[in-house]
Amino acid sequence: MTDDISTDDERGRRWRLVLGDAAAESLPALGGADSAMDGALGALYDSGGDRKGGLGKSAPSVARWLGDIRTYFPSTVVQVMQHDAVERLNLHALLTEPELLDSVEPDIDMVTTLIGLGRAIPAKSKASARALVRKVVDEVERRIAERTRSAVGAALDKAARVNRPKLHDVDWNATIARNLHNYLPEQKTIVPERLVGYGRRSRVITKDIVLAIDQSGSMANSIVYASIFGAVIATMRSVRTSLVVFDTEVVDLTDRLEDPVDVLFGTTLGGGTDINRAIAYCQGLITRPTDSIFVLISDLYEGGVRDEMLKRVAQMTGDGVQVVVLLALSDEGAPAFDREIAAALAALGVPAFACTPDAFPDLLAVAINRGDIVGWADANELAQRGMSDEG
C-alpha cells in the first residue's frame, strides 16, 4: 500500500512540474528543489505554452536563471531550454553581456546565435563570446578530426597509387599481395610482375578541395561543421583547401582556415543568396579540374540567375571536377530546399542530399576516389533510416 502511495505521489509531482501553475490547485504543492525547478520552468514556459517571458530584462536575472537550470537539469535539457529562451523570450540582446555568456552551456545552437549577432556583440563581450565558441569548436574538432584525417588520408593514398613506382616508393605489402600467383616454390620467392607504390604525395598537392557555404539562416549549423572540417583538411599537406561563404556577396575565408573560430566570426548569417555568383568565384579557384572536388552546401534557394548557375555546374562536371551538393551538413537533416533545382542538378548527375558530420569524411573519401556518389548517398540514407527505426 505504501508503494502505491509513493508511486501516486511521484506521478503527481511530475505532472505538477509539467503543468506548472495551472495545476497548483489540483495537485500537491512542491517544496525544496522541486519548487526551484518549477520556478525555472515557469520563467520560460506557462500552462498555455505562450508565456511572454518572466526572466526580467537584466542580465544578472538571466544569469541566475541559467545557473538554476544547470543545477536542476542535465546538460541536454539545459541546451533545449537555452534555445527556447533565446527564441521565445527574445534574449539575443542579453547574450551580448559577458556575465551571461559565462553562464551559458556551450552548444551548436548557442554558437549559431552568436554568429548571427556578429558585429552586434559589443567589445566588452567579444572575449566571452569567442571563449564559448572555442569550447564548442574544440569539442567538435576532437569528434571529427581523427576520423577525417584517416578517411581522407586513406583515399589520397589510394588515389596516388601507381604501378611503376620508384624503389623507395614501393608498397611491398600491396606488391606481394598482387603477385602471389607468381610464387616460385623451388626458389621460395615471388617474382613480381607489377610493382605497387605511391607517388611523392607528401611533397606534392594531389587534390584541391573547394568548400562553398551558403550563409542563409537555415544553414547555420552547416557553417559550423563545414568550417571545422575545412580547418582539419587544411592541415593535410597533400590537399589544397579553399573555403568561401556567400549570400549575395562572396567572401573567401581560406586565409583564416588555421582557426575555425576566425572563420565563424567572418561569416554573416541571413540575407539573400546568389549561388551562381559563388560558383563563378569558385570556378576561378579551380586550376586542375580532374584533381578538384567542389562541395556546395546550400538549401538551393537561388536569388541569382538559376539557368546560369546550372550551366556552370554542368561546365564544371564536364571539365572533370567532382561536384558534391549538400543540402545540409548537420545532425538535423535537410532543411526546406528548392526541389526544382535539386531535381535539375540530379539530371546533371549531381545529386543533392543532406549529410551528417559523422558521415562526411566517408563521403569525401568517395569523392576523392571518384566513386559512386549517388550509390553512397542512397546507402547512407538507408543506414540513417535504419538507425532511426532502431531508436
Side-chain angles (χ1 to χ4, degrees), residues 4 14 44 53 60 66 85 106 112 114 127 130 133 143 184 193 243 255 284 287 303 305 316 323 352 360 370 374 386:
D4 290 340
R14 293 187 179 187
L44 179 57
L66 284 166
T112 58
L114 291 172
R130 287 185 68 90
V133 173
R143 167 185 162 190
L184 301 179
E193 286 184 346
L243 185 145
D255 60 349
T287 57
V305 184
M316 292 176 81
V323 178
F360 185 68
R370 294 190 168 274
V374 176

Side-chain angles (χ1 to χ4, degrees), residues 31-336:
D34 287 345
S35 179
M37 290 173 66
D38 184 56
L41 290 166
L44 179 57
Y45 309 104
D46 70 2
S47 59
D50 190 29
R51 176 171 291 277
K52 300 303 181 183
L55 300 183
K57 294 186 178 181
S58 65
S61 67
V62 181
R64 283 194 297 273
W65 177 78
L66 284 166
D68 286 343
I69 65 174
R70 292 178 68 166
T71 299
Y72 298 115
F73 301 97
S75 61
T76 52
V77 176
V78 169
Q79 292 172 10
V80 171
M81 294 179 73
Q82 287 178 169
H83 178 75
D84 287 349
V86 171
E87 296 300 320
R88 295 165 66 95
L89 306 182
N90 193 26
L91 296 186
H92 293 80
L94 292 177
L95 284 178
T96 63
E97 296 294 334
E99 61 267 35
L100 176 59
L101 284 170
D102 292 339
S103 302
V104 167
E105 183 79 18
D107 69 348
I108 291 289
D109 286 334
M110 283 298 123
V111 169
T112 58
T113 297
L114 291 172
I115 294 172
L117 289 171
R119 295 174 184 173
I121 301 175
K124 66 177 182 179
S125 299
K126 288 187 182 297
S128 295
R130 287 185 68 90
L132 187 150
V133 173
R134 174 70 63 191
K135 288 180 182 178
V136 176
V137 166
D138 288 348
E139 180 180 338
V140 173
E141 190 166 357
R142 282 192 293 271
R143 167 185 162 190
I144 68 172
E146 182 176 353
R147 176 77 184 106
T148 301
R149 294 191 181 100
S150 175
V152 173
L156 290 169
D157 284 349
K158 185 176 180 180
R161 186 169 292 179
V162 295
N163 291 321
R164 299 183 65 182
K166 296 180 180 178
L167 182 61
H168 49 276
D169 291 331
V170 174
D171 181 339
W172 290 110
N173 289 332
T175 296
I176 292 171
R178 179 72 64 83
N179 292 277
L180 284 175
H181 62 284
N182 293 324
Y183 179 69
L184 301 179
E186 65 278 7
Q187 302 294 331
K188 295 183 178 181
T189 189
I190 291 174
V191 178
E193 286 184 346
R194 299 177 65 184
L195 298 176
V196 179
Y198 305 98
R200 307 303 293 164
R201 58 192 183 283
S202 61
R203 298 179 185 177
V204 178
I205 294 174
T206 59
K207 294 291 179 181
D208 296 336
I209 299 177
V210 179
L211 300 170
I213 315 169
D214 188 338
Q215 292 187 108
S216 58
S218 64
M219 307 305 297
N221 284 9
S222 297
I223 291 174
V224 176
Y225 285 115
S227 299
I228 298 170
F229 273 114
V232 171
I233 298 167
T235 63
M236 305 183 73
R237 290 180 296 177
S238 54
V239 179
R240 179 186 291 112
T241 307
S242 301
L243 185 145
V244 302
V245 296
F246 64 91
D247 40 38
T248 54
E249 301 293 330
V250 179
V251 181
D252 193 327
L253 297 175
T254 303
D255 60 349
R256 302 190 187 187
L257 276 176
E258 290 185 1
D259 188 348
V261 175
D262 284 343
V263 173
L264 292 174
F265 279 103
T267 62
T268 306
L269 293 179
T273 307
D274 192 339
I275 305 174
N276 177 54
R277 186 171 187 174
I279 294 178
Y281 179 85
C282 292
Q283 281 182 297
L285 299 176
I286 296 172
T287 57
R288 304 183 305 162
T290 57
D291 290 319
S292 297
I293 300 162
F294 173 60
V295 182
L296 172 66
I297 305 174
S298 173
D299 56 15
L300 301 178
Y301 286 113
E302 173 63 311
V305 184
R306 176 183 182 277
D307 291 341
E308 186 71 18
M309 183 267 283
L310 293 171
K311 187 183 298 183
R312 289 187 185 280
V313 173
Q315 181 180 357
M316 292 176 81
T317 57
D319 289 342
V321 178
Q322 181 73 286
V323 178
V324 178
V325 176
L326 299 181
L327 301 170
L329 178 57
S330 74
D331 292 308
E332 299 178 350

